[in-house]
Amino acid sequence: MPNNQAIVPAASEPAGAGHNEHPSYLLHHFQSVEQQADTSNFAMWLFLLTEMMFFGGLFTAYLIYRNWYYLAFVAGSHQLNVVWGTLNTVVLICSSFTMAMGVWCAETRRRSGLVLCLILTFILGLGFLGIKTIEYSEKIEKHHVPGFHYNLSSFLDPASDPEIFKEYHDKPLPLDIARHTELYFSLYFLMTGMHALHMIIGIGILGFMIFRARAGAYISGHVTFVENFGLYWHFIDIVWIYLFALLYLISRH
Amino acid sequence: MSTNTIVSLPDQETARIPKKNFLTKENGLLSWLLTRDHKRIAILYLITTTFFFIIGGAAAALIRLELLTPTGDMVSSDTYNKLFSIHGIIMVFFFLVPIAPGVLGNFLIPLMIGAKDVALPRINLLSWYLFVIGGCFELYMMIFGGVDTGWTFTTPLSTHYVNSHVIGAAMGIFIAGFSSILTGINFIVTIHKMRAPGMTWFRLPLFIWSYYATSIIFVLATPVIAISMVLIMLERVIGIGLFDPTKGGDPLLFQHLFWFYSHPAVYVMILPGMGIISEVISNFSRKRVFGYTAVAFSSVAIAVFSFFVWAHHMFIMGISTYSALLFSLFSMLVAIPSAIKVFNWSATLYKGSITFDTPMLYAFGFIGLFTIGGCTGVMLATLGMDIHVTETYFIVAHFHYVMVGGMVSAFMAGLHFWWPKMTGRMYPESLGRLAAVILFIGFNLTFFPQFILGYLGMPRRYHFYPPEFQALNVLSTSGASILAIGYLLPALYLIWSLRHGAIAGNNPWQATGLEWQTQSPPLTENFTEIPIMDHEAYDYAWLERQSRDNRREEAPSAE
Amino acid sequence: MSEQNGHAHTIVGPGVYVAILFALLAGTVLTVWASFVDLGFWNPIIALAIATTKATLVLLYFMHVKYSTKLTKLAIAGGVFLFLTLVSMTLADYISRAWGSW
Amino acid sequence: MNHISPVIWQFPVKWMTNFPLFPPEASTIAPQMDALLFFMVLVSLIGLTVVVLLIISFSILYNKKRHPVAEQIEGSILLEATWTIIPLGLFLVMFVWGAVIYFRVFTPPANAMNIYVVGKQWMWKIEHPGGQHEINALHVPAGRAVQLTLISQDVFHSFSIPAFRVKREAIPGRYTTVWFEATTPGTYHLFCTQYCGTNHSQMIGDVVVQTPEDYRKWLSNSTSGVSLAQDGERLFASLSCSACHNARPNARGPNLANVYGSRLTLSNGQTITADEAYLRQSILNPSQHITQGYAPIMPTYQGQISEEGVIALIEFIKNLNSDYRIQQTLNTTDLPPESEGKTPPAAQAPAAKAHATQGRVKK
């Protein structure tokens, strides 16, 4: 692609085409394909805004407690594996890229490219969840899940947790500070859990899309569904970019 | 009285309800349950919200009966608490919030802007189903023991100290919240993208402007209550500790999140009412709304400001006094656009040609009651006064003046005004006026004594109360029984009118909106062909010109 | 059917996407590296600044906001503004609680 | 009226004879609050009258019979500006006026006497510094500024005295304060106004305002014999606080004498005033704010001391003018007791308790 910003009309037919000859995917209450595409695109954006406000409540809680219990948050953050976190960020960014490529393939009507991109996105999404599962199971092993026999020993006595201790040489936390690491992990599980839930929903839809794309859908010029799903997928990516910065990288030095 | 009215009914001998309309298009339960027609969905909403209104109203009746005597001798304290919790939850989340957007918004927005349907019809149906599912959770919760947290779910009471069905109730609100979000998205997109040719922003009816403002709140505020309900549920199930002071959490954070939705939500309730009132006042004074742009922008201003005032519910709850200052100031500012609206409506009457049909009577009632509700709202937003009157019956009286006196009056006005459009038949006019007057009297008798009670210091949500408050409480309860008649009467005659009402014709009120330019009840596609808007909103001269043209052409059935 | 201006649909090509991908990966490396350096007060600010830059890139190019209508841009700006309102006005309460002993 | 059943008749008689429409004004803040109310009611009435008069007069002048054809009027920027700016001005006046009263209610004067209030489901526990405990009742002297320090043991409660126009929430985990100066002796309602569970409406009581002499009498009659500070001293000893906070040169904890009300420098460089809230935090979450020069070694007492215990400890620390009492607690714990040489400031003879109460709140 020498020129990466080609401007082509989105619809397969000129605007203002007669009512009788509209394509099958044009719903009855719309006047034109553009109107329909615009509408669903804008609706998707509004939906993403509600998603943003949904996470907004969690971010607010996070910022308050981080300010209150900074030391506990640092200690809690040291429990997260920055390698896994970085890897997951890379995986998610790549999946965002393949998704964007998928949208481009759909727009330029490349069926096999579209299917390939969707499958790659699907695999990367699963990879992200796989890594997340590894991380979660580490937390479960150490009893760092709030509400389920939450265990403070990694914070009261860091040496009992040699892997982490080797890296950060954390000082033992007093009990009253160590107790607040539970809030950190509550927020960690809430935020990443909500994020993972969105991923799972996204992967489900991706599976459906792969199935349909193999049957030849989305390359007729009517790419609204792919585009909107792309928006959703990128939004999840953005959320993760912030989660990574806030949860993993509090204080690593 | 009929000389007074502007109703121009067709000749009742020959007139018929059009055979082809959205009600008759398909038959059978499934055709309703799977419909994507915004008008049918509106009817579904009307039925379900009325159902919830009956439940909430029955709870209210029991509460008022209980408060006849200072000693709680009818129900136990526990039952009393469950009653007012049910009353609050049902009335707020399942009646006041969905009613105006769900019923009138769904029915009218596409008609008013000249569209065939809302932008996302399937999502529209989904949002009704979510509403019903949420409602089922509340019903389940009620049948299997109820919830006694009040509708505000104050932590840590709701998370750690009550054993009632908080999770069910929160789940219901969570799901119903998504119904609101989807409705909001649908309306915004519809208003942006589906307007008929020539329908510019400043030709939109003010109804559309206020629903647009409402939808902004729906879209941006509702997710925050969704997350706070999720947090309540998780706190109860596994004890995440965010709202638990013994784990270092802050229970006040819940209130921040809760009121971030729930304060804008009261504007969700009142803004559609303002839109309805603008339509009604304009029509029955045969005059364009005074200061159209000011009224339009004040709707948006209310929606925007409503996001900056939430902590005025927490002035004595230990928020910082400095941020209390900020929130109080913003609360004052949000009162300004409301005042602008009231004055503009009054000025609309000037040199009009006024008739006093039922919707207009309700509209007058709305203006009076809303002004009282608004003024007392300013008192509550004033920091010092809030200390004394918050958490008392003063609050109860204030928000009932805005919600019931304001919103429900407006909704009744709208329901009567558009009833002929929805059903094709007129309601009985004199009964309608009677009901409007009864409602006004009953309402004031019920809630005005509560202002006095509140200033005397009677706390809200009290089962027992000091005996010296009894006289005012008896007054309030007697008013409530009049109010009940005021609600029952319209329910009866509106149902009666479905069969026996006079045939309304397309435009009984001689109103200018596009919704009146199509048949009543409308076709499923709303219009035989998409109308072209070639005049300003509320252009009564255009209407006269058009009817003159029609008469000259003397086409027997223009439709 | 208003706001039908700008009706040509812009297709962003792979070149841009690849460039953005590498920018995002570079940002990730940078932010991880920065977190291991002790910058005191600046650490969280830099982490958030990098995250915001990355998010903006995703928004503008992957999500095509750069080529979107004014309406979309306005809606996003409004949403972000309200998000910041929620966070900042709530935090304002928590921060100013400590200002005086009332 | 003989034919009316006396049973029914008693109700109207009772209502008519006992039918308040306005609460009594029994504190110094009440007339100020009422003045603001009257101002706002007046403004509201004027506004309402204007609107109603407009509607009625237009309805008469321009009804369809009299005025069959409407005249279209677009609007008027001048009018819009008028009814934007006038309400704005009025609202700003209300805002400033209300803010002044708000700050007045929530800013206790320096010489206020302090009473602790602990809310729990469903009762109010009042702790006077002299050791008098009350449940669902509050005795206060007239003509004296009284500060309430409130806290809740479980859920949000709200301490409301309508006759004083004063109300404040009792919050779990944090102190809130409010103050008033009662003016008229009498008995007034005390309500919990924040919904707090099943028996919310029974979390009520009486506020008894007494003349200073009566109040003194009441204080001496209802004393438990041990002041709050003495209670705190016992707790201080039994929790072995003096093991570290013992004012010796090599002590592991900071010296607590005269610490109340002073500015402390923390280990992270911040300075903080040691008020009740700070002292409470330091007992329950000691590592949150470490005084400069000390290690974070103090254990947390969260869950080990009741709210009343914390209050007693705070009251003890507030009254520590010298190291003397701490030495005494040391003596009681690990040294044989000595005879008291002089009367320590915090533990005076019960007869002098009333005086002690008045001198309890220091600045």
Side-chain angles (χ1 to χ4, degrees):
Chain A
M1 277 284 113
N3 186 355
N4 47 30
Q5 292 168 23
I7 296 183
V8 300
S12 53
E13 32 169 39
H19 285 274
N20 302 330
E21 41 195 296
H22 54 229
S24 59
Y25 50 79
L26 179 60
L27 295 172
H28 77 280
H29 57 287
F30 288 111
Q31 294 291 301
S32 66
V33 175
E34 292 86 33
Q35 188 193 15
Q36 184 175 347
D38 259 16
T39 302
S40 58
N41 179 270
F42 187 45
M44 192 65 207
W45 272 110
L46 290 176
F47 178 71
L48 293 185
L49 294 186
T50 72
E51 289 278 10
M52 189 174 73
M53 293 308 291
F54 187 80
F55 279 98
L58 292 174
F59 278 108
T60 312
Y62 170 86
L63 286 176
I64 287 165
Y65 293 126
R66 178 185 159 133
N67 278 333
W68 277 9
Y69 307 127
Y70 181 69
L71 291 177
F73 270 53
V74 170
S77 170
H78 286 178
Q79 289 291 323
L80 303 188
N81 189 329
V82 82
V83 177
W84 284 133
T86 314
L87 190 63
N88 245 353
T89 313
V90 171
V91 167
L92 207 54
I93 286 175
C94 289
S95 84
S96 231
F97 168 74
T98 53
M99 191 62 225
M101 288 303 293
V103 172
W104 174 76
C105 289
E107 279 165 343
T108 52
R109 307 185 183 204
R110 290 160 213 257
R111 179 168 149 191
S112 52
L114 171 65
V115 173
L116 178 70
C117 283
L118 289 181
I119 289 176
L120 278 178
T121 313
F122 185 82
I123 292 169
L124 287 168
L126 279 183
F128 177 91
L129 285 180
I131 293 175
K132 206 77 232 156
T133 316
I134 296 172
E135 291 194 79
Y136 276 0
S137 57
E138 274 179 15
K139 305 286 166 298
I140 293 169
E141 271 167 32
K142 286 189 184 174
H143 290 287
H144 283 165
V145 187
F148 295 100
H149 307 288
Y150 187 75
N151 189 336
L152 291 174
S153 61
S154 320
F155 310 108
L156 294 176
D157 178 18
S160 73
D161 198 350
E163 266 177 67
I164 310 285
F165 186 67
K166 195 171 64 203
E167 206 162 333
Y168 299 105
H169 301 287
D170 280 335
K171 290 198 194 85
L173 287 180
L175 177 64
D176 57 319
I177 288 185
R179 288 172 71 245
H180 295 141
T181 52
E182 192 170 355
L183 283 180
Y184 171 82
F185 280 106
S186 287
L187 284 163
Y188 168 77
F189 278 103
L190 267 171
M191 295 168 102
T192 56
M194 285 292 165
H195 179 260
L197 186 70
H198 282 84
M199 292 285 295
I200 292 168
I201 295 170
I203 287 172
I205 300 173
L206 260 176
F208 167 77
M209 278 166 59
I210 292 168
F211 179 71
R212 294 254 295 125
R214 280 166 64 92
Y218 313 126
I219 47 166
S220 59
H222 178 57
V223 294
T224 321
F225 193 87
V226 184
E227 279 181 341
N228 285 348
F229 178 79
L231 291 181
Y232 175 79
W233 196 256
H234 299 312
F235 172 79
I236 299 176
D237 188 21
I238 290 180
V239 172
W240 179 258
I241 287 174
Y242 280 99
L243 290 187
F244 178 61
L246 290 178
L247 293 169
Y248 286 77
L249 304 178
I250 291 183
S251 170
R252 288 281 164 188
H253 41 271
Chain B
M1 289 292 263
S2 58
T3 50
N4 261 358
T5 61
I6 49 161
V7 179
S8 57
L9 297 181
D11 181 3
Q12 293 292 314
E13 295 299 312
T14 55
R16 300 215 110 79
I17 298 227
K19 266 229 165 58
K20 246 181 77 183
N21 65 43
F22 79 98
L23 293 164
T24 56
K25 188 177 185 207
E26 285 171 284
N27 285 315
L29 192 62
L30 263 190
S31 77
W32 280 88
L33 293 182
L34 298 178
T35 184
R36 272 173 267 157
D37 179 4
H38 65 104
K39 300 179 287 299
R40 285 192 162 202
I41 293 171
I43 304 284
L44 291 177
Y45 265 113
L46 181 62
I47 295 165
T48 39
T49 48
T50 308
F51 171 72
F52 284 116
F53 180 70
I54 292 169
I55 294 176
L62 290 173
I63 292 168
R64 282 299 349 152
L65 270 181
E66 168 63 66
L67 291 176
L68 264 178
T69 57
T71 49
D73 34 20
M74 195 178 79
V75 295
S76 69
S77 286
D78 192 42
T79 315
Y80 179 80
N81 295 342
K82 284 174 177 166
L83 279 176
F84 75 68
S85 303
I86 286 171
H87 173 68
I89 293 171
I90 294 290
M91 285 301 200
V92 170
F93 296 107
F94 294 90
F95 175 69
L96 286 169
V97 166
I99 184 159
V103 181
L104 292 177
N106 262 329
F107 196 92
L108 291 166
I109 286 178
L111 278 167
M112 281 186 165
I113 63 174
K116 287 182 189 164
D117 204 330
V118 291
L120 313 162
R122 270 177 293 189
I123 300 276
N124 201 12
L125 182 64
L126 174 65
S127 95
W128 179 73
Y129 273 103
L130 288 174
F131 169 68
V132 170
I133 294 169
C136 288
F137 269 93
E138 303 302 334
L139 291 178
Y140 153 82
M141 168 276 282
M142 257 182 270
I143 292 165
F144 290 93
V147 66
D148 61 344
T149 60
W151 77 278
T152 47
F153 294 95
T154 321
T155 51
L157 179 73
S158 64
T159 49
H160 294 86
Y161 289 90
V162 296
N163 300 317
S164 49
H165 294 252
V166 178
I167 295 179
M171 195 68 201
I173 292 169
F174 177 79
I175 295 172
F178 278 94
S179 157
S180 300
I181 291 173
L182 296 180
T183 306
I185 292 177
N186 223 331
F187 285 175
I188 292 184
V189 176
T190 307
I191 294 169
H192 267 288
K193 303 287 182 189
M194 306 290 285
R195 301 196 305 276
M199 184 62 99
T200 58
W201 279 94
F202 290 98
R203 281 179 178 174
L204 286 172
L206 289 167
F207 183 92
I208 300 291
W209 276 93
S210 58
Y211 272 71
Y212 185 74
T214 308
S215 308
I216 293 177
I217 298 177
F218 266 156
V219 168
L220 291 174
T222 319
V224 182
I225 198 172
I227 187 68
S228 50
M229 288 296 139
V230 169
L231 293 178
I232 284 262
M233 288 185 267
L234 288 175
E235 184 83 56
R236 273 188 84 88
V237 177
I238 50 178
I240 50 173
L242 288 189
F243 304 140
D244 181 359
T246 60
K247 283 190 177 173
D250 182 18
L252 212 55
L253 176 62
F254 170 76
Q255 306 228 353
H256 271 294
L257 297 179
F258 181 83
W259 289 115
F260 184 85
Y261 165 75
S262 293
H263 193 77
V266 307
Y267 294 98
V268 159
M269 303 171 201
I270 196 67
L271 272 169
M274 293 169 162
I276 295 164
I277 296 304
S278 302
E279 298 295 308
V280 168
I281 297 250
S282 160
N283 183 64
F284 291 95
S285 51
R286 314 302 301 154
K287 223 173 131 259
R288 182 171 159 83
V289 172
F290 189 84
Y292 172 95
T293 24
V295 178
F297 281 130
S298 64
S299 292
V300 180
I302 287 176
V304 172
F305 280 134
S306 73
F307 285 109
F308 308 125
V309 300
W310 75 85
H312 67 206
H313 293 263
M314 299 146 68
F315 281 160
I316 65 163
M317 290 195 187
I319 63 165
S320 107
T321 37
Y322 301 99
S323 73
L325 276 182
L326 193 67
F327 281 104
S328 172
L329 188 61
F330 276 119
S331 309
M332 295 288 166
L333 293 185
V334 84
I336 302 280
S338 313
I340 292 176
K341 276 176 186 279
V342 168
F343 285 118
N344 275 305
W345 290 325
S346 313
T348 305
L349 300 173
Y350 177 67
K351 295 206 171 168
S353 174
I354 305 166
T355 49
F356 302 95
D357 298 272
T358 312
M360 191 63 159
L361 293 187
Y362 277 116
F364 284 162
F366 172 92
I367 296 180
L369 301 179
F370 176 72
T371 308
I372 297 177
C375 288
T376 50
V378 172
M379 294 184 194
L380 285 163
T382 308
L383 286 164
M385 187 55 52
D386 185 74
I387 295 176
H388 178 54
V389 290
T390 188
E391 298 170 353
T392 67
Y393 262 80
F394 196 91
I395 288 261
V396 177
H398 155 70
F399 69 70
H400 279 90
Y401 260 84
V402 180
M403 302 289 89
V404 184
M407 180 55 214
V408 182
S409 287
F411 180 74
M412 293 302 274
L415 195 62
H416 284 88
F417 186 55
W418 284 291
W419 190 255
K421 183 51 65 183
M422 294 167 92
T423 63
R425 289 184 186 270
M426 296 300 294
Y427 57 90
E429 183 60 42
S430 43
L431 273 178
R433 288 180 199 175
L434 180 67
V437 174
I438 289 177
L439 209 62
F440 184 79
I441 294 170
F443 179 83
N444 279 304
L445 201 54
T446 312
F447 291 105
F448 200 81
Q450 296 186 359
F451 280 126
I452 303 169
L453 276 175
Y455 204 77
L456 282 169
M458 177 168 164
R460 63 193 287 202
R461 297 168 168 178
Y462 257 32
H463 180 219
F464 295 79
Y465 57 87
E468 74 254 32
F469 296 153
Q470 189 176 10
L472 288 167
N473 269 304
V474 169
L475 204 60
S476 182
T477 302
S478 58
S481 40
I482 299 177
L483 196 60
I485 297 172
Y487 286 124
L488 218 54
L489 196 58
L492 293 178
Y493 67 69
L494 286 179
I495 292 171
W496 174 87
S497 76
L498 286 177
R499 280 200 91 92
H500 308 286
I503 307 282
N506 293 354
N507 194 355
W509 307 120
Q510 291 300 304
T512 57
L514 283 184
E515 77 271 27
W516 300 105
Q517 312 306 317
T518 182
Q519 65 174 41
S520 319
L523 292 166
T524 302
E525 304 79 38
N526 291 346
F527 302 95
T528 39
E529 64 184 275
I530 289 295
I532 292 171
M533 184 74 172
D534 53 0
H535 57 279
E536 299 300 311
Y538 313 114
D539 189 348
Y540 291 93
W542 166 83
L543 191 74
E544 250 165 56
R545 269 201 310 280
Q546 209 199 23
S547 56
R548 219 179 303 131
D549 293 349
N550 282 355
R551 243 174 283 135
R552 201 170 304 143
E553 281 170 26
E554 207 64 12
S557 62
E559 250 45 55
Chain C
M1 275 163 300
S2 47
E3 282 138 55
Q4 292 207 348
N5 46 357
H7 243 292
H9 187 93
T10 311
I11 294 178
V12 187
V16 176
Y17 289 152
V18 171
I20 298 300
L21 171 69
F22 283 111
L24 290 175
L25 292 178
T28 307
V29 173
L30 189 68
T31 188
V32 173
W33 174 76
S35 75
F36 281 93
V37 183
D38 188 359
L39 302 164
F41 171 75
W42 291 97
N43 259 336
I45 292 175
I46 284 180
L48 277 181
I50 295 175
T52 306
T53 316
K54 284 161 71 182
T56 314
L57 287 178
V58 174
L59 263 177
L60 286 181
Y61 295 97
F62 280 1
M63 296 171 93
H64 306 169
V65 172
K66 192 175 177 215
Y67 315 99
S68 298
T69 55
K70 277 205 184 96
L71 175 65
T72 312
K73 287 176 189 163
L74 193 71
I76 296 165
V80 171
F81 173 70
L82 205 66
F83 176 91
L84 293 177
T85 304
L86 169 63
V87 173
S88 61
M89 283 183 81
T90 310
L91 274 180
D93 168 30
Y94 283 83
I95 289 167
S96 62
R97 269 184 211 171
W99 284 358
S101 52
W102 298 104
Chain D
M1 294 291 170
N2 291 334
H3 54 282
I4 297 178
S5 151
V7 179
I8 295 177
W9 187 238
Q10 71 177 14
F11 288 107
V13 168
K14 202 170 74 190
W15 296 341
M16 287 307 141
T17 50
N18 185 9
F19 183 18
L21 287 175
F22 201 75
E25 288 181 340
S27 75
T28 50
I29 205 81
Q32 302 176 22
M33 194 81 92
D34 290 341
L36 177 58
L37 173 82
F38 292 138
F39 172 71
M40 290 198 289
V41 167
L42 186 72
V43 170
S44 307
L45 274 182
I46 293 173
L48 188 65
T49 316
V50 168
V51 170
V52 169
L53 274 185
L54 281 179
I55 290 179
I56 290 178
S57 54
F58 289 159
S59 299
I60 295 169
L61 285 175
Y62 304 112
N63 71 40
K64 188 159 190 182
K65 270 183 214 150
R66 211 187 263 214
H67 196 252
V69 179
E71 266 173 60
Q72 300 300 327
I73 302 161
E74 180 51 46
S76 150
I77 293 190
L78 189 67
L79 271 177
E80 300 290 349
T82 316
W83 58 53
T84 308
I85 290 167
I86 292 179
L88 181 66
L90 287 168
F91 291 160
L92 285 181
V93 171
M94 292 175 191
F95 165 70
V96 172
W97 192 341
V100 167
I101 290 184
Y102 184 75
F103 276 76
R104 220 169 266 169
V105 173
F106 288 155
T107 314
N111 62 349
M113 62 181 264
N114 193 24
I115 297 176
Y116 292 94
V117 178
V118 180
K120 78 180 273 279
Q121 283 177 330
W122 291 276
M123 60 166 80
W124 293 109
K125 297 186 281 188
I126 316 282
E127 310 245 324
H128 294 261
Q132 295 82 358
H133 303 284
E134 299 180 76
I135 301 276
N136 289 341
L138 171 63
H139 284 75
V140 289
R144 180 91 211 274
V146 176
Q147 176 188 330
L148 300 178
T149 302
L150 304 121
I151 193 158
S152 162
Q153 234 170 274
D154 35 43
V155 302
F156 280 74
H157 300 283
S158 185
F159 195 87
S160 160
I161 312 167
F164 295 173
R165 312 286 189 278
V166 151
K167 182 185 289 148
R168 185 68 155 164
E169 299 244 337
I171 300 172
R174 186 147 64 91
Y175 287 127
T176 50
T177 57
V178 70
W179 78 279
F180 54 80
E181 184 182 328
T183 50
T184 327
T187 304
Y188 305 102
H189 283 300
L190 158 62
F191 295 124
C192 170
T193 50
Q194 173 67 269
Y195 175 65
C196 57
T198 311
N199 290 329
H200 166 53
S201 64
Q202 282 153 33
M203 197 165 158
I204 54 176
D206 291 321
V207 175
V208 184
V209 179
Q210 295 171 313
T211 57
E213 300 93 81
D214 286 351
Y215 180 67
R216 216 165 294 138
K217 244 178 264 164
W218 177 83
L219 275 183
S220 52
N221 287 340
S222 47
T223 180
S224 56
V226 185
S227 77
L228 268 188
Q230 285 169 317
D231 247 347
E233 186 174 356
R234 278 184 205 166
L235 210 50
F236 197 81
S238 69
L239 294 168
S240 307
C241 303
S242 46
C244 302
H245 298 284
N246 53 16
R248 287 174 185 159
N250 59 347
R252 279 174 292 176
N255 183 1
L256 296 182
N258 289 322
V259 76
Y260 177 73
S262 64
R263 285 300 276 180
L264 299 178
T265 310
L266 303 180
S267 56
N268 60 2
Q270 287 175 325
T271 57
I272 198 165
T273 307
D275 53 4
E276 285 97 340
Y278 173 78
L279 294 179
R280 183 176 188 284
Q281 273 297 311
S282 313
I283 295 167
L284 300 179
N285 292 314
S287 318
Q288 204 69 44
H289 301 291
I290 303 292
T291 315
Q292 201 165 37
Y294 292 92
I297 50 167
M298 176 166 162
T300 167
Y301 287 89
Q302 180 109 40
Q304 297 177 38
I305 323 179
S306 65
E307 289 298 347
E308 286 94 334
V310 177
I311 285 170
L313 278 175
I314 289 173
E315 194 63 18
F316 170 63
I317 295 168
K318 274 165 85 171
N319 286 288
L320 269 181
N321 288 343
S322 70
D323 305 333
Y324 179 77
R325 290 308 303 176
I326 293 184
Q327 301 301 335
Q328 290 298 306
T329 56
L330 267 183
N331 295 344
T332 55
T333 45
D334 52 22
L335 292 171
E338 273 173 40
S339 63
E340 289 192 11
K342 58 172 184 175
T343 312
Q348 287 162 349
K353 197 150 290 157
H355 289 266
T357 315
Q358 284 171 7
R360 201 63 67 182
V361 181
K362 300 181 303 186
K363 200 54 211 162

